[in-house]
């Protein structure tokens, strides 16, 4: 059973754009959990800065930062969340794939590999537009995008080990020609 809440799984690192995520959630009536690790001193400093930002946040009781938690707890949180929000402009986020497998509705930036991993335009937001991201999360929480979950889960086969191996073998065989 999915709860009407939002989750992000990330490393606590500046390039993950988690300040943007907090700004997006700012005016949404939901619980938001950011799960990540702090393997380095810089990660820990960033985590503390985010904690301070949340304390000064309008609705600080609805945002929770969890660091360095067991994998079982990460999976449990992911399985309970309805929406996965990805704020990072990275080229490929495995957490997006994991969230789809867990039945979350992914809301991701409309850039780079996200166009492949989340091929539904309605689920991608303008990476520079807080309001666009916010509106898409609200729609996802309201159930507007529920019909996309099964097709997205079916598309995950392209990320399997077998598919990867076949692609590599095909590529190498083409090089031999």
């Amino acid at each position: 059973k999915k709860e009407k809440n939002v989750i992000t799984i990330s490393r606590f690192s500046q390039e993950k754009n988690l300040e943007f995520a907090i700004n997006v959630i700012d005016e949404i009536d939901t619980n938001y959990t950011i799960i990540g690790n702090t393997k380095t001193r810089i990660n820990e400093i960033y985590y503390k800065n985010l904690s301070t930002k949340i304390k000064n946040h309008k609705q600080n009781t609805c945002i929770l930062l969890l660091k360095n938690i067991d994998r079982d707890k990460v999976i449990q949180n992911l399985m309970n969340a309805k929406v996965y929000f990805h704020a990072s402009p990275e080229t490929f986020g495995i957490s997006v794939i994991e969230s789809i497998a867990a039945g979350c509705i992914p809301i991701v930036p409309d850039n780079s590999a996200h166009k492949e991993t989340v091929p539904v335009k309605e689920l991608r937001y303008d990476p520079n537009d807080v309001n666009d991201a916010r509106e898409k999360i609200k729609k996802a929480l309201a159930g507007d995008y529920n019909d996309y979950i099964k097709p997205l889960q079916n598309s995950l086969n392209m990320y399997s080990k077998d598919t990867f191996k076949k692609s590599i073998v095909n590529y190498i065989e083409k090089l031999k020609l």
Side-chain angles (χ1 to χ4, degrees):
K1 175 127 174 81
K2 293 290 188 178
E3 298 170 13
K4 287 193 174 184
N5 58 28
V6 181
I7 190 168
T8 296
I9 299 174
S10 177
R11 181 177 63 253
F12 287 109
S13 185
Q14 192 166 10
E15 71 272 8
K16 298 297 185 174
N17 205 20
L18 296 173
E19 300 94 342
F20 177 81
I22 291 169
N23 290 337
V24 167
I25 294 297
D26 192 34
E27 295 179 21
I28 301 175
D29 185 20
T30 190
N31 292 323
Y32 180 45
T33 303
I34 302 173
I35 299 175
N37 63 48
T38 57
K39 292 183 178 181
T40 67
R41 180 162 161 62
I42 292 172
N43 294 148
E44 185 64 35
I45 291 168
Y46 184 70
Y47 170 82
K48 287 178 182 175
N49 289 341
L50 287 176
S51 295
T52 301
K53 181 177 179 67
I54 289 169
K55 285 177 187 166
N56 298 326
H57 194 261
K58 292 178 187 173
Q59 301 175 3
N60 63 353
T61 57
C62 70
I63 299 176
L64 180 62
L65 298 180
L66 299 176
K67 69 174 181 171
N68 305 329
I69 64 173
D70 292 335
R71 183 75 177 151
D72 290 344
K73 290 181 182 176
V74 173
I75 292 169
Q76 181 182 4
N77 277 276
L78 195 55
M79 295 298 290
N80 290 333
K82 181 168 180 71
V83 177
Y84 180 82
F85 182 57
H86 198 73
S88 176
E90 64 197 344
T91 56
F92 180 82
I94 192 67
S95 60
V96 175
I97 302 303
E98 292 171 335
S99 75
I100 293 168
C104 295
I105 299 165
I107 303 297
V108 299
D110 189 16
N111 62 13
S112 64
H114 299 304
K115 292 179 182 184
E116 266 184 72
T117 58
V118 183
V120 180
K121 178 73 173 151
E122 290 85 358
L123 302 178
R124 297 190 314 265
Y125 64 90
D126 178 339
N128 300 310
D129 189 343
V130 169
N131 290 323
D132 186 30
R134 188 177 291 142
E135 288 308 309
K136 293 194 176 186
I137 290 172
K138 286 179 181 178
K139 286 181 177 183
L141 288 169
D144 292 5
Y145 302 140
N146 287 354
D147 291 343
Y148 294 124
I149 295 171
K150 286 295 177 196
L152 283 170
Q153 286 178 324
N154 292 337
S155 75
L156 296 182
N157 291 330
M158 65 198 252
Y159 302 106
S160 73
K161 259 189 212 180
D162 290 338
T163 301
F164 179 75
K165 286 178 187 177
K166 288 176 187 174
S167 296
I168 294 295
V169 168
N170 286 340
Y171 182 75
I172 291 171
E173 287 177 358
K174 286 180 184 176
L175 288 176
K176 289 179 181 180
L177 299 176

